[in-house]
Amino acid sequence: MAVNGSGDQWNETALLVIGMQKDFVDTTMCKRALPAGEAIVPIVTEAVDVARQRGIFIVVREHDPSGRDVELYRRHRYSSGQGQVVKGSEGAKLAEGLIIKESDYKLVKTRFSAFFATQLDSVLRTSGIKNLVIVGKHLYPPIEMDTAFDAVSLNYDKVSVILDATAAPEPEVHEQNIRDMKKIGVVTPTFEEWRR
Amino acid sequence: MAATGSGGDQWSETAMLVIDMQKDFVDPTMSKVALLSGEAILPAVTEAVVVARKRGIFIVWVVREHHHSGRDVELFRRHFYTDGKGLAVEGSEGAELADGLVIKESDYKLVKTRFSAFFATNLDSVLKTSGIKNLVIVGVQTPNCIRQTAFDAIALDYDKVSVILDATAAAKPEVHFKHKRYEEYRSGNTNLGRMEKMNLLCTVAS
């Protein structure tokens, strides 16, 4: 899977870029944005460049302004006009520097996991994808580790989460998440280790 | 969760999910990889079930059962099964519920093969068509099956999802909780604290 051709076969691998939206990682856009998320934007951008020739999956949340398609426990924020990633809003856009290209696939989700009630598994399988590489703000809230857990449950051969291209609100939370994922066979390289 | 005994309709919309409380996971005499912390919560889980029964709460026994070849277990565990060391093999003693836990006729046994009790099972259908809106979760183990089940429950729009602190466990206490009192979990540094952010109620059995 490396740029120089060693390791896994690229044509069976997909990069999932999760949640890299302004409302989540741009602290000038939203009070609830994650500084740790902001810190990983450069490295995520670089990972995207590395993977781009092969096609990548940009996974975003988009919600109805009324919040009718968001989890129950968050709905009150939408009814008070403070909902994040409302469809069409500035906050729903990708963070600065990240652009969706024509060969990419944009996947909209409304729950934690990129697989929950989406066509992601179907699209990946019918593209012959067996391995996944995950980057993004997906470890905050840590519930978005759901994507990694679902990937394992769905029998993807190799699921990788790039350590320094993912973020959580506090380092200890991030570390615990990484430990939990390792226990279920998820590989956790750094960006440098992965790109080699 | 004191047993006041005046349940009635109040509990008709609540189900208890008892997750993976099987010998291979919580009985160290059965399996070397059984969780000692799992064994430690067995009394609390047993008590929780007693209280649930008194209140007429619908009890679902969620268990893993795998083919001895491991063909239905997660890929990363399959080598255990080919070596003959697979856990919770269907029909084995290790797959049975821990001592003291008994499935009664009014209960429901649900077999799963992945972390979440909802993954590739009919659990959501069974619960919703029984009018269940609230879930109480006990069992093992916190970062995997408990957490994924709880998150899926939220994703599937259950109204109130509760995880009973001292009737759930992980391999190490610090994985389960950093502080003894759940009010201190606000920092989000724990599995339970993180779940609390989603309005999961993390309560103690008393």
Side-chain angles (χ1 to χ4, degrees):
Chain A
M1 160 158 51
V3 177
N4 60 12
S6 69
D8 310 323
Q9 295 166 274
W10 252 117
N11 60 2
E12 293 182 340
T13 300
L15 179 75
L16 306 184
V17 183
I18 305 184
M20 294 301 292
Q21 297 161 270
K22 289 182 178 177
D23 266 345
F24 296 141
V25 303
D26 181 345
T27 50
T28 68
M29 172 71 50
C30 177
K31 273 180 311 207
R32 228 179 241 108
L34 192 51
E38 200 165 39
I40 63 167
V41 171
I43 212 167
V44 169
T45 311
E46 223 186 318
V48 163
D49 283 341
V50 168
R52 187 138 253 157
Q53 306 90 293
R54 321 296 174 163
I56 55 177
F57 288 76
I58 307 279
V59 181
V60 295
R61 265 196 191 245
E62 282 180 3
H63 285 297
D64 185 82
S66 70
R68 78 178 90 175
D69 53 10
V70 83
E71 293 91 336
L72 295 177
Y73 76 94
R74 296 196 228 243
R75 280 191 195 192
H76 62 280
R77 296 190 204 145
Y78 290 75
S79 44
S80 62
Q82 286 166 350
Q84 290 171 292
V85 293
V86 168
K87 187 168 177 173
S89 72
E90 185 69 25
K93 291 186 185 166
L94 291 182
E96 292 294 335
L98 289 171
I99 305 161
I100 301 183
K101 297 213 169 150
E102 218 181 84
S103 54
D104 301 336
Y105 190 91
K106 179 185 169 187
L107 182 93
V108 176
K109 68 182 178 88
T110 57
R111 290 290 183 274
F112 315 124
S113 168
F115 291 100
F116 190 93
T118 73
Q119 73 279 28
L120 180 62
D121 187 48
S122 166
V123 172
L124 292 173
R125 295 288 186 208
T126 53
S127 303
I129 300 297
K130 296 182 181 174
N131 310 308
L132 299 177
V133 180
I134 299 174
V135 299
K137 183 206 62 66
H138 89 298
L139 291 181
Y140 176 77
I143 53 186
E144 284 168 82
M145 281 168 62
D146 259 18
T147 299
F149 270 74
D150 277 353
V152 171
S153 294
L154 288 162
N155 308 319
Y156 285 87
D157 275 1
K158 185 166 156 183
V159 181
S160 306
V161 170
I162 301 185
L163 268 186
D164 42 357
T166 51
E170 290 128 18
E172 309 89 85
V173 172
H174 194 237
E175 279 159 28
Q176 185 58 57
N177 286 334
I178 296 293
R179 277 196 290 268
D180 291 343
M181 286 194 290
K182 279 185 147 114
K183 286 188 181 170
I184 60 161
V186 173
V187 179
T188 56
T190 60
F191 177 63
E192 283 309 312
E193 286 165 348
W194 172 72
R195 73 183 307 174
R196 242 178 273 130
Chain B
M1 200 149 77
T4 55
S6 62
D9 288 338
Q10 177 191 11
W11 298 107
S12 64
E13 295 181 339
T14 299
M16 172 173 284
L17 307 183
V18 187
I19 302 186
D20 291 358
M21 290 299 295
Q22 297 160 267
K23 291 182 177 171
D24 267 341
F25 301 132
V26 303
D27 182 349
T29 66
M30 177 68 52
S31 163
K32 277 185 302 209
V33 300
L35 298 179
L36 293 175
S37 53
E39 191 186 31
I41 62 163
L42 185 52
V45 171
T46 311
E47 174 67 18
V49 170
V50 166
V51 171
R53 288 205 201 289
K54 282 198 183 118
R55 292 176 168 179
I57 288 175
F58 179 33
I59 298 176
V60 181
W61 298 90
V62 181
V63 294
R64 271 193 187 249
E65 279 179 10
H66 288 294
H67 191 263
H68 63 85
S69 69
R71 77 175 77 163
D72 55 9
V73 82
E74 292 94 336
L75 296 177
F76 75 94
R77 294 195 229 250
R78 281 195 189 184
H79 61 278
F80 291 122
Y81 290 74
T82 44
D83 291 345
K85 294 181 187 153
L87 299 177
V89 170
E90 185 178 356
S92 72
E93 199 185 338
E96 288 172 14
L97 291 180
D99 286 336
L101 297 176
V102 174
I103 303 180
K104 298 212 169 154
E105 221 180 83
S106 53
D107 302 341
Y108 192 85
K109 178 185 170 187
L110 182 94
V111 175
K112 67 180 177 77
T113 56
R114 291 290 184 274
F115 311 110
S116 168
F118 291 100
F119 190 92
T121 73
N122 59 335
L123 180 61
D124 187 49
S125 166
V126 169
L127 293 175
K128 296 259 168 79
T129 54
S130 300
I132 299 298
K133 297 184 183 175
N134 309 308
L135 300 176
V136 179
I137 301 172
V138 298
V140 291
Q141 63 158 311
T142 319
N144 295 346
C145 301
I146 301 293
R147 177 166 62 185
Q148 292 310 110
T149 298
F151 291 167
D152 276 352
I154 297 283
L156 289 162
D157 306 323
Y158 285 88
D159 273 1
K160 186 166 145 180
V161 181
S162 307
V163 172
I164 302 186
L165 273 186
D166 42 356
T168 48
K172 293 180 189 159
E174 50 279 20
V175 175
H176 184 67
F177 52 43
K178 195 172 173 182
H179 307 279
K180 290 206 168 75
R181 294 168 54 79
Y182 87 90
E183 291 92 342
E184 295 170 63
Y185 297 167
R186 298 279 171 222
S187 66
N189 273 355
T190 66
N191 275 306
L192 295 170
R194 287 178 258 152
M195 287 195 284
E196 212 185 36
K197 288 192 174 176
M198 298 186 305
N199 280 358
L200 256 82
L201 183 63
C202 296
T203 181
V204 292
S206 60

